[in-house]
Amino acid sequence: MGSLIQRLAEGLTDSSCASFFSGYVDPKRASRGDPNQSAGRLLRSFRDHDISGMVQAANANDAIFRSHPTLGLLTLCPLLSYELTRESSQLPLESHVADFLADLSSPVCNAEPLQELLFAGLALPALPAVWEVIEELAAPFFTALVERVAENEVLVGEYLKWSLRLEAVMNVENPSRSLPQCGQDFHSVFATKASLLALVASGLHGMMDFKAFDAPEETVYGQYQSLLAELSPKGFSHRSVDSFTPEDLAQAFGTEPGYRQFGGLRLGELAQSQPSIKQDASWGLLEGEFLRHLIWLACLSDLLRGQSSLPEFWEEVDPKSWGPHDRATPVYLMQMMFLASLGETGFSFSGAISFETQGEEYEKVVASSKEMMASAQGDIGSRILDRDFPSDELRALGAWTDLVAEIRGVEPQEPHVGFDVADSKEDVDVWLGHFSWWLKNRAWRSEKERPVPEVAGPAPAAVVKPSDPVDEPVGTGPEHEVLKPDSPMEIVFVGGDQGQAKNDPGIEAEIFQRYEDLVTITWVHIDWTSNWQKDADRAVGRLERGADVLVLMPLVRTGMGWHVRREAGRLGVPWIACTGRGTGTITRALEQAVQVACRQGLSETP
């Protein structure tokens, strides 16, 4: 009877339907090369609740869901759920299974339970308070889930892209709060959660293909991408907070302090038009996450432009609430090292004292900063080596590294043989000098182009700092004697913008009172354009014509600062780091420059 029915089906239907029916009736004999027979086998396994058979059938042919997208709507979520929760010994699901989603904008059956699973694997580890409880209650399951999500970037990324396309349709159509779907309800809150999952995924290390995805403008995540593009400098369209360099942020938010002046109203309006997730205790922790990302960028911008101090930054944005180090990206970790360096050195871009008191509270900040830096340095390198790194994020990482090095007075230095960029045992400044050199000379090249390290002898004890950004103590020895110039000298001061220039006359007057006309200051201020070569040439030209010493502020274009320091080294001109923008800090840096020039003159005297 079975053979007669099969022959009847073959006579009444086309060949593809007959093959599908053949695979359904006799799954063991279904051909792997025939997507129709594999589809029939998959449907039979779905009916029999045979997840192992479903995986084998789905893996058998990469055209199975493109030929039968309706079958994909029915079976995709059980397959993905299996893959994210399977034991390591079980058969893995092939990544091609989700390819058909690229042409689909219909709700997949059981999409909401899968969304919850992805929330647990993507978002929960970035919520410290929740993650600590979960680790105690169900550590093995959730730890394995997080690892499985990371291993399946392609599958997860395709699902997130489809979720955003569905969200766009839902936002435009404004559907009812819930719709029946295969015996369950599909809720409109799916749209709200889709963009939040996309935001979390875009902030994780990895997810390369998903980060390059242009989300529909009808989604909250798509509007967020548009805002980041508007904040980006000319020639760039940044997609994440990790793509912004210090220079990018110094220009991004204009001259007015604070994120409140930034017009992201359409993002907020779209987010508010979607169903609320406050009723869900876990998801509710992510509400307002888009605004927090913008606050992070704006507060960093305020800090870099001298519009706020470090205590004010920490009052507005608590860095500890941004997730544990093991889930952080290299750029974020270097930004944390930047904040830690400000706390440890007392550096302030405004020239004001970063903390109102230098007592017990400040000592706690310094101790916390040192702990933060030691924790971050090894994680930064390990995440670069762990997988491919987006070029825009690598650009930002280099710029933040340069800024941290300048604040701490550290020069790039070629590491010794055996240097491990992921090693956190070395002194922070030693590691920073080696890491900065490594980024500039090796991290930018492919593996086959990286030179073999030369034998350079034992590791150096410390990175040489050209100058310490503090006043030199006055003592009895000749090295601490305060000297006065006996001949005219020129100091080239590089850094600061036109707002800084208004303080130049008062500083010049104070220097004149001390040294009369023996000290000349040449100011080279910048305008934050990408065309910094003209200003750099002006500074280097003065050095070539015999200027005695260079004073460099950290807040200059990164390329310009690196170029001017390199040229000063080539010409044998010493340079001094100015650690702030206030008149007192600048004046002390100029006085230190005078002492350096005087001592160099003494050392050159026969």
Side-chain angles (χ1 to χ4, degrees):
M1 180 63 71
S3 61
L4 290 175
I5 294 176
Q6 184 171 348
R7 286 166 53 190
L8 179 62
E10 291 174 353
L12 296 176
T13 61
D14 60 33
S15 59
S16 63
C17 291
S19 296
F20 181 91
F21 185 72
S22 175
Y24 182 84
V25 172
D26 193 358
K28 293 183 179 180
R29 298 181 60 183
S31 172
R32 293 175 57 89
D34 187 335
N36 298 306
Q37 289 193 24
S38 295
R41 178 188 177 189
L42 175 59
L43 183 61
R44 178 61 176 269
S45 299
F46 176 77
R47 190 204 73 169
D48 296 340
H49 302 286
D50 178 11
I51 188 63
S52 178
M54 289 177 61
V55 174
Q56 293 177 26
N59 287 346
N61 194 298
D62 58 6
I64 184 173
F65 287 143
R66 289 197 298 271
S67 301
H68 301 274
T70 305
L71 182 61
L73 288 174
L74 185 65
T75 62
L76 180 67
C77 284
L79 288 169
L80 293 183
S81 298
Y82 159 85
E83 173 60 23
L84 297 180
T85 58
R86 66 177 175 84
E87 300 289 340
S88 58
S89 59
Q90 291 179 300
L91 178 67
L93 186 70
E94 299 291 340
S95 60
H96 68 74
V97 170
D99 289 349
F100 82 105
L101 287 174
D103 302 319
L104 191 70
S105 59
S106 302
V108 175
C109 296
N110 293 314
E112 288 186 290
L114 182 59
Q115 201 177 45
E116 299 300 318
L117 201 60
L118 287 177
F119 172 78
L122 290 171
L124 288 185
L127 302 171
V130 179
W131 187 246
E132 289 177 3
V133 176
I134 288 176
E135 283 189 310
E136 294 180 1
L137 297 178
F141 173 80
F142 281 98
T143 301
L145 175 61
V146 171
E147 294 175 355
R148 197 70 71 210
V149 169
E151 293 171 1
N152 287 276
E153 293 175 5
V154 176
L155 282 171
V156 172
E158 290 302 319
Y159 178 83
L160 292 176
K161 293 176 188 178
W162 165 80
S163 298
L164 290 170
R165 286 191 288 268
L166 182 58
E167 178 195 347
V169 175
M170 296 174 70
N171 287 341
V172 172
E173 298 296 333
N174 192 24
S176 59
R177 296 181 63 86
S178 64
L179 294 171
Q181 184 196 56
C182 296
Q184 297 182 352
D185 285 338
F186 180 79
H187 300 89
S188 58
V189 75
F190 179 92
T192 309
K193 296 178 178 180
S195 273
L196 287 173
L197 277 180
L199 177 64
V200 173
S202 70
L204 299 179
H205 186 45
M207 303 294 294
M208 296 282 290
D209 181 64
F210 177 72
K211 287 183 178 182
F213 174 64
D214 289 323
E217 292 188 0
E218 297 82 3
T219 65
V220 178
Y221 181 67
Q223 288 295 312
Y224 170 74
Q225 283 186 323
S226 298
L227 292 177
L228 293 184
E230 292 177 14
L231 290 172
S232 303
K234 187 177 181 180
F236 292 89
S237 293
H238 294 327
R239 297 174 181 272
S240 72
V241 293
D242 288 335
S243 300
F244 286 85
T245 69
E247 299 153 9
D248 296 342
L249 290 179
Q251 304 173 66
F253 288 86
T255 57
E256 294 296 327
Y259 67 91
R260 295 175 184 84
Q261 281 72 32
F262 177 59
L265 294 179
R266 65 181 185 274
L267 174 66
E269 290 174 354
L270 181 57
Q272 291 177 4
S273 69
Q274 292 182 321
S276 174
I277 56 174
K278 288 182 179 179
Q279 66 275 10
D280 190 312
S282 298
W283 281 93
L285 295 174
L286 290 181
E287 194 153 53
E289 195 70 8
F290 285 98
L291 180 59
R292 281 193 286 270
H293 278 65
L294 296 176
I295 291 174
W296 175 263
L297 289 181
C299 289
L300 278 178
S301 177
D302 290 348
L303 195 60
L304 290 164
R305 291 183 288 110
Q307 300 291 334
S308 69
S309 64
L310 186 59
E312 292 171 330
F313 176 92
W314 273 340
E315 183 177 351
E316 192 76 35
V317 177
D318 180 10
K320 294 180 181 179
S321 68
W322 280 67
H325 287 308
D326 61 348
R327 296 292 294 178
T329 61
V331 174
Y332 169 76
L333 290 170
M334 188 56 74
Q335 289 173 345
M336 296 296 281
M337 292 188 77
F338 160 71
L339 296 172
S341 294
L342 297 185
E344 185 178 348
T345 63
F347 182 92
S348 172
F349 290 103
S350 64
I353 298 177
S354 291
F355 293 85
E356 295 181 359
T357 64
Q358 300 289 316
E360 183 178 352
E361 179 183 354
Y362 180 72
E363 291 178 359
K364 291 181 180 179
V365 170
V366 172
S368 175
S369 299
K370 291 181 178 179
E371 181 180 349
M372 186 186 303
M373 296 188 75
S375 175
Q377 71 184 73
D379 290 338
I380 292 174
S382 64
R383 277 159 175 74
I384 294 178
L385 298 176
D386 183 45
R387 61 189 70 196
D388 293 335
F389 203 68
S391 58
D392 57 346
E393 293 183 18
L394 193 57
R395 165 183 173 267
L397 178 63
W400 284 103
T401 302
D402 286 343
L403 181 57
V404 174
E406 290 186 23
I407 290 174
R408 302 183 68 84
V410 173
E411 278 283 90
Q413 181 167 320
E414 183 174 0
H416 54 84
V417 175
F419 169 72
D420 184 358
V421 72
D423 188 5
S424 59
K425 297 179 181 178
E426 292 184 330
D427 175 81
V428 170
D429 286 343
V430 174
W431 176 86
L432 185 62
H434 293 336
F435 180 68
S436 178
W437 185 94
W438 183 85
L439 276 178
K440 292 176 172 62
N441 293 275
R442 292 180 182 166
W444 300 89
R445 306 177 186 177
S446 62
E447 186 68 32
K448 64 181 180 180
E449 295 175 338
R450 294 181 184 176
V452 178
E454 302 84 1
V455 178
V463 173
V464 178
K465 299 183 182 181
S467 60
D468 290 323
V470 296
D471 295 331
E472 296 186 359
V474 178
T476 56
E479 68 275 13
H480 295 306
E481 181 183 357
V482 178
L483 303 175
K484 291 187 177 181
D486 54 9
S487 61
M489 66 172 60
E490 179 183 3
I491 301 173
V492 180
F493 187 97
V494 178
D497 51 25
Q498 295 306 312
Q500 186 70 42
K502 66 179 183 294
N503 297 325
D504 295 351
I507 296 173
E508 289 177 345
E510 188 168 350
I511 294 297
F512 180 82
Q513 288 182 353
R514 301 185 185 186
Y515 305 108
E516 297 182 342
D517 57 357
L518 292 176
V519 176
T520 300
I521 306 172
T522 299
W523 303 95
V524 181
H525 297 303
I526 64 173
D527 57 7
W528 290 113
T529 65
S530 58
N531 185 21
W532 50 261
Q533 193 64 49
K534 181 175 66 174
D535 292 333
D537 290 345
R538 185 155 60 96
V540 173
R542 299 305 304 179
L543 300 180
E544 291 177 335
R545 287 190 288 272
D548 298 273
V549 64
L550 166 72
V551 177
L552 185 64
M553 294 184 71
L555 195 57
V556 295
R557 301 288 297 190
T558 301
M560 178 179 175
W562 175 250
H563 175 76
V564 172
R565 290 198 309 274
R566 183 184 62 189
E567 291 300 296
R570 178 180 65 84
L571 298 169
V573 178
W575 71 274
I576 306 298
C578 178
T579 61
R581 297 176 65 178
T583 57
T585 305
I586 294 174
T587 302
R588 290 193 295 272
L590 291 170
E591 290 177 347
Q592 186 180 357
V594 171
Q595 296 302 305
V596 169
C598 289
R599 293 200 178 98
Q600 183 167 351
L602 290 177
S603 64
E604 295 174 354
T605 303

